[in-house]
Amino acid sequence: MSTARFLRQALTIARRDITATVMTPTFLLFLLSPLLMISFGVIGSMSATSAASSGEARQRLIVIAPDAQRERIVRIDRELRRVFTRDDVRPKLQVDRANGDSARQARALFDDAAIEPTAILYGPMERPTIVRRVGAKAEGRYLAVLAAQLLRAERAGDAVTSTPRFETVGREVPSESGKGQSAYFATLGIFFLTLMLSGQAVGAMAEERSNKVIEVLAAAVPLESVFFGKLLGAFGSALLFVGFWGTLLVNLPRLLPPDVAGFVSNLGVAVGPLFPLLFIGYFVMSYLLQSAVFLGVGSLASTQREIQMLSLPITIFQFAMFGLASYAAGNPQSQVAAVAAIVPFSSPMTMAARAATIPALWPHLLAFVWQALWVGITLTIAARLFRRGVLKSAGPKRRRKAPA
Amino acid sequence: MRDLAVSASGLVKRFGERIAVNGVDIAVPRGQIYGVLGPNGAGKTTSLRMLLGIIEPDEGERTLLGSASPRDMSDRVGYLPEERGLYPNMKCREAIAFMGALRGLPWSVGRKRARDLLDSAGLGHAADDKIRKLSKGMAQLVQLLGSVVHAPDLLVLDEPFSGLDPVNQERLEQLIRAERDRGATVLFSTHVMAHAERLCEHISIIAGGTVRFEGTVDAARALLPARAQYTPRQDAPEIAAMLPPDALHEKGAWRFTVPEDGIESLLVQLIEAGHGISGLSIERPGLHDAFVRIVGADALADAQTEADA
């Protein structure tokens, strides 16, 4: 059979599969699933924050001081909150007038049901007493700093001595930590995409079996064409997914606040502009390897339950490979990294991470040849499994004889 | 040598210990409607699958449209498998065009032909309906149209009448004849004799994985003698002695097998004996009877059970 005919048949099946997958509301849901996951995460964290802040609203830092110091204490607190991070979770400051026995006044405040003081400062600012609740060390220290600043301000006057201008800059040359972070994100990206997309191949096969279309296909085109058509179909849908999110991520720094965008721009890679190409190449290899396994396994299963049972060990295997590749990403010069680069199923993730940390390009050429070899082996085995699995003869129906 | 669309000799297929097909020979003349008859489990489907190259025989040879490699001819073949299969979310027109595209027909041509075929089959109104909205019979017709959309030289139908109501069975028979008239060869399997009797020029009867008969329908029917029903003007018990030994008397009429040398001399004797002839009919045996004779009563029971189901 000619290659052109083989391709034409495979593309016919792929076209049907892509159309059937993409032109459904379910695909939109699938496409937006990461957004949904992020949204659920944000909603969850907002709920948790809301629950926590209801208690925080009554928390107070209290300074018991004469009225003359009140205005200055409030101003210094405002300035300090600009300097200290996490000032949004620091309790509000309350300045109470000293009424004689400040120690008793402080204890009374701790017993007040209307508020929840976390730390109270009283006494002269040169030797203040700070009482705090268990675990409120930071709040105690904050009041100590406030007292010190108050003293300085009283002695030096309130003149502003410095007005800084802040700028955010990124590095021209990627830092080692930036490359390390890129390596991890590359590993995670390929793992996440492959995990999410390769499983679709199983579903494609289950559809053929449940609709009994497989014999129609098998009569018209060789099973190898059916297999590659299915693989291409699932890959086409996967590319749409990757294209959509890839475009979004590439343009993400423009949409982010400068500080976050600066973090993203710090994610440098050792191989430079070739990295996106290498990443896509390794994703394709990883996808083909794992989809072929899923498709081969899917052809052996005749029910959704069987597919789930067969998918579980494969998913566990995928996680194991991710674990191996993640370790290799963090330790690119280790022996484990060499093993992870050789093991076919962890190799794409490991090599993508390597592209982020090590500039040499020739290992990637070697890796692509090695992985392509394994893609070929896996596809051949999976196609044979497919051939054996999809056309099982029902056999003759045996006639039941009525009992004599 | 006859011009054959399909030929096979000595096809054998084993599934583990079981021999599903054991030395099947078939010769399907071009441009004819050819029936493969047999009870359930006779090996019909396996034989058709081997002829089409869906599965490979363990032994034997076959040629399809002159090629020893059936897969190379797949673009010139239409096939309706026993287990019907369509994508439920596909529109009828797309489903037909898709089946054509699998056989090398461009999608655009397939869509146009699909519209014409659906119109001619009385399903034009359902062209843009999804398959899952169709009745079983309509879906089966759509699949059949999908198997002819690329105007194949050979149409292979595995139990095409199964599950169809009489109206759709009639439509299907018309479509099969139309394909034959167009010049295609039609090879179909069935265990319902009536369809084969109405449609086929040649048949092959398979049972137990082997071919028990191959030839014309008339030749199959000729395997059994004709039956006569004679009603005398004056009935009398002594008539029994004049008739063949298998004669039965029912409601004033006698039924018996027509002797090998004909019925004429027997009628002369009856007239001369004064019994006269009030009624006389000679029935040629049907394919059903020939089938029972060829494959045996057990096989018939199987076939009947399936037909009833």
Side-chain angles (χ1 to χ4, degrees):
Chain A
M1 189 179 61
S2 71
T3 310
R5 189 170 174 220
F6 178 87
L7 275 178
R8 188 253 296 162
Q9 291 168 332
L11 287 174
T12 302
I13 289 166
R15 175 181 166 162
R16 204 290 317 175
D17 278 13
I18 290 173
T19 312
T21 307
V22 173
M23 305 297 277
T24 58
T26 319
F27 184 74
L28 195 64
L29 205 65
F30 173 69
L31 196 65
L32 298 178
S33 54
L35 205 61
L36 293 175
M37 282 189 257
I38 292 166
S39 304
F40 288 140
V42 169
I43 290 168
S45 68
M46 280 169 66
S47 304
T49 306
S50 166
S53 63
S54 65
E56 286 168 6
R58 290 190 300 178
Q59 291 183 351
R60 295 284 185 279
L61 290 173
I62 299 175
V63 176
I64 298 172
D67 276 348
Q69 289 182 314
R70 180 185 181 83
E71 191 181 327
R72 191 168 272 145
I73 288 170
V74 170
R75 184 173 52 77
I76 289 169
D77 173 64
R78 198 162 51 234
E79 286 167 3
L80 283 178
R81 280 175 194 268
R82 285 198 205 112
V83 175
F84 284 92
T85 55
R86 300 178 63 203
D87 50 356
D88 56 328
V89 295
R90 198 174 302 287
K92 282 182 187 171
L93 181 77
Q94 177 178 318
V95 183
D96 283 9
R97 183 192 301 162
N99 58 8
D101 188 350
S102 294
R104 177 183 280 183
Q105 189 180 349
R107 276 195 296 277
L109 283 168
F110 272 118
D111 294 335
D112 189 343
I115 55 170
E116 291 179 15
T118 51
I120 300 177
L121 179 149
Y122 62 88
M125 291 299 156
E126 293 81 1
R127 286 187 307 282
T129 301
I130 297 171
V131 286
R132 58 173 174 80
R133 288 197 185 279
V134 176
K137 278 185 187 173
E139 283 77 4
R141 281 198 295 271
Y142 179 82
L143 288 183
V145 172
L146 190 140
Q149 284 295 107
L150 182 64
L151 274 182
R152 284 195 195 100
E154 283 176 346
R155 288 172 188 171
D158 292 332
V160 176
T161 54
S162 172
T163 308
R165 186 169 64 87
F166 294 98
E167 282 184 11
T168 306
V169 293
R171 286 173 64 100
E172 291 288 322
V173 178
S175 65
E176 285 306 309
S177 65
K179 286 192 276 188
Q181 285 165 346
S182 298
Y184 179 73
F185 284 132
T187 308
L188 185 68
I190 290 182
F191 168 72
F192 178 70
L193 287 172
T194 312
L195 184 73
M196 209 169 164
L197 301 172
S198 63
Q200 284 197 319
V202 184
M205 212 45 253
E207 184 192 20
E208 304 302 346
R209 296 191 73 126
S210 64
N211 295 333
K212 297 173 182 171
V213 181
I214 192 66
E215 192 169 353
V216 177
L217 300 180
V221 301
L223 280 172
E224 287 74 13
S225 287
V226 177
F227 181 82
F228 283 107
K230 296 260 140 226
L231 204 58
L232 282 177
F235 187 59
S237 312
L239 276 188
L240 267 177
F241 181 91
V242 173
F244 176 80
W245 282 102
T247 310
L248 211 65
L249 287 176
V250 164
N251 290 295
L252 194 61
R254 292 181 202 168
L255 307 172
L256 292 173
D259 283 354
V260 184
F263 167 76
V264 174
S265 66
N266 278 340
L267 295 175
V269 288
V271 295
L274 274 178
F275 183 78
L277 281 179
L278 290 174
F279 182 85
I280 291 170
Y282 287 124
F283 163 67
V284 170
M285 290 296 175
S286 180
Y287 178 84
L288 287 176
L289 273 168
Q290 299 196 25
S291 291
V293 173
F294 270 112
L295 202 55
V297 167
S299 67
L300 295 177
S302 47
T303 63
Q304 203 63 37
R305 189 185 180 85
E306 280 180 22
I307 286 171
Q308 283 169 356
M309 287 181 71
L310 287 167
S311 298
L312 183 64
I314 299 176
T315 308
I316 292 171
F317 177 72
Q318 282 179 309
F319 271 94
M321 291 297 103
F322 172 62
L324 185 62
S326 295
Y327 183 85
N331 305 275
Q333 305 287 8
S334 65
Q335 284 188 334
V336 175
V339 171
I342 292 169
V343 173
F345 288 89
S346 61
S347 182
M349 289 183 280
T350 305
M351 292 307 293
R354 188 186 170 92
T357 51
I358 300 172
L361 285 173
W362 66 264
H364 297 290
L365 191 65
L366 210 63
F368 276 122
V369 172
W370 173 247
Q371 287 164 24
L373 177 73
W374 276 96
V375 166
I377 292 170
T378 313
L379 288 179
T380 307
I381 294 170
R384 282 186 186 167
L385 277 177
F386 186 81
R387 172 171 274 283
R388 285 175 60 183
V390 294
L391 271 181
K392 286 175 184 166
S393 176
K397 291 174 187 169
R398 297 193 186 284
R399 193 164 72 91
R400 289 180 188 164
K401 288 184 179 173
Chain B
M1 186 178 167
R2 283 190 298 172
D3 186 16
L4 298 176
V6 181
S7 69
S9 67
L11 289 184
V12 174
K13 186 68 189 176
R14 302 182 191 88
F15 295 111
E17 295 291 307
R18 187 172 65 86
I19 301 176
V21 173
N22 191 11
V24 160
D25 301 328
I26 285 179
V28 182
R30 278 186 198 266
Q32 289 199 4
I33 301 174
Y34 188 101
V36 177
L37 316 182
N40 298 318
K44 302 188 295 291
T45 297
T46 305
S47 297
L48 293 184
R49 284 178 171 182
M50 283 192 286
L51 293 173
L52 291 168
I54 298 172
I55 54 175
E56 291 300 309
D58 295 323
E59 291 173 32
E61 293 174 354
R62 81 280 204 214
T63 61
L64 195 84
L65 299 171
S67 170
S69 175
R71 308 287 325 185
D72 293 344
M73 295 290 115
S74 65
D75 285 358
R76 293 171 57 194
V77 176
Y79 175 53
L80 179 77
E82 184 179 15
E83 283 202 330
R84 314 290 184 250
L86 290 167
Y87 294 109
N89 285 323
M90 244 182 169
K91 291 177 179 174
C92 292
R93 199 150 58 112
E94 286 297 307
I96 294 171
F98 169 67
M99 290 167 74
L102 288 174
R103 308 272 184 181
L105 190 71
W107 282 86
S108 54
V109 179
R111 284 197 193 96
K112 188 179 176 309
R113 283 197 196 167
R115 167 65 79 178
D116 296 341
L117 284 168
L118 285 165
D119 284 340
S120 64
L123 292 174
H125 62 280
D128 290 320
D129 286 352
K130 291 193 171 174
I131 298 292
R132 63 183 149 84
K133 287 188 177 174
L134 304 182
S135 68
K136 187 183 172 188
M138 283 167 78
Q140 197 161 321
L141 272 181
V142 167
Q143 188 166 0
L144 184 71
L145 297 179
S147 63
V148 301
V149 67
H150 57 299
D153 294 327
L154 172 67
L155 180 60
V156 179
L157 311 170
D158 195 358
E159 298 284 359
F161 297 97
S162 156
L164 289 182
D165 61 39
V167 174
N168 280 321
Q169 286 186 14
E170 176 59 28
R171 276 184 182 166
L172 180 54
E173 285 193 11
Q174 285 172 7
L175 200 145
I176 289 173
R177 288 194 189 93
E179 282 301 299
R180 189 264 319 273
D181 295 344
R182 182 178 62 77
T185 306
V186 182
L187 168 62
F188 76 92
S189 73
T190 185
H191 56 253
V192 182
M193 300 303 120
H195 300 301
E197 201 157 18
R198 282 198 293 271
L199 288 167
C200 297
E201 284 112 341
H202 277 80
I203 57 166
S204 184
I205 296 177
I206 298 179
T210 58
V211 175
R212 305 287 181 87
F213 173 85
E214 192 190 20
T216 61
V217 172
D218 285 342
R221 291 162 66 176
L223 292 174
L224 292 177
R227 298 275 295 174
Q229 181 168 310
Y230 161 65
T231 309
R233 282 187 192 282
Q234 304 233 326
D235 203 2
E238 60 266 28
I239 290 176
M242 301 170 72
L243 297 178
D246 66 340
L248 294 171
H249 188 238
E250 284 176 6
K251 296 176 184 173
W254 295 85
R255 291 177 59 83
F256 55 90
T257 303
V258 174
E260 284 183 15
D261 58 348
I263 198 169
E264 292 81 356
S265 59
L266 180 59
L267 293 176
V268 170
Q269 286 178 42
L270 288 165
I271 291 166
E272 286 177 352
H275 299 299
I277 300 175
S278 172
L280 177 68
S281 63
I282 296 174
E283 294 171 5
R284 295 187 63 201
L287 190 56
H288 180 92
D289 303 307
F291 179 81
V292 174
R293 166 80 177 269
I294 291 165
V295 303
D298 280 355
L300 174 72
D302 267 346
Q304 192 58 52
T305 305
E306 182 67 18
D308 291 345

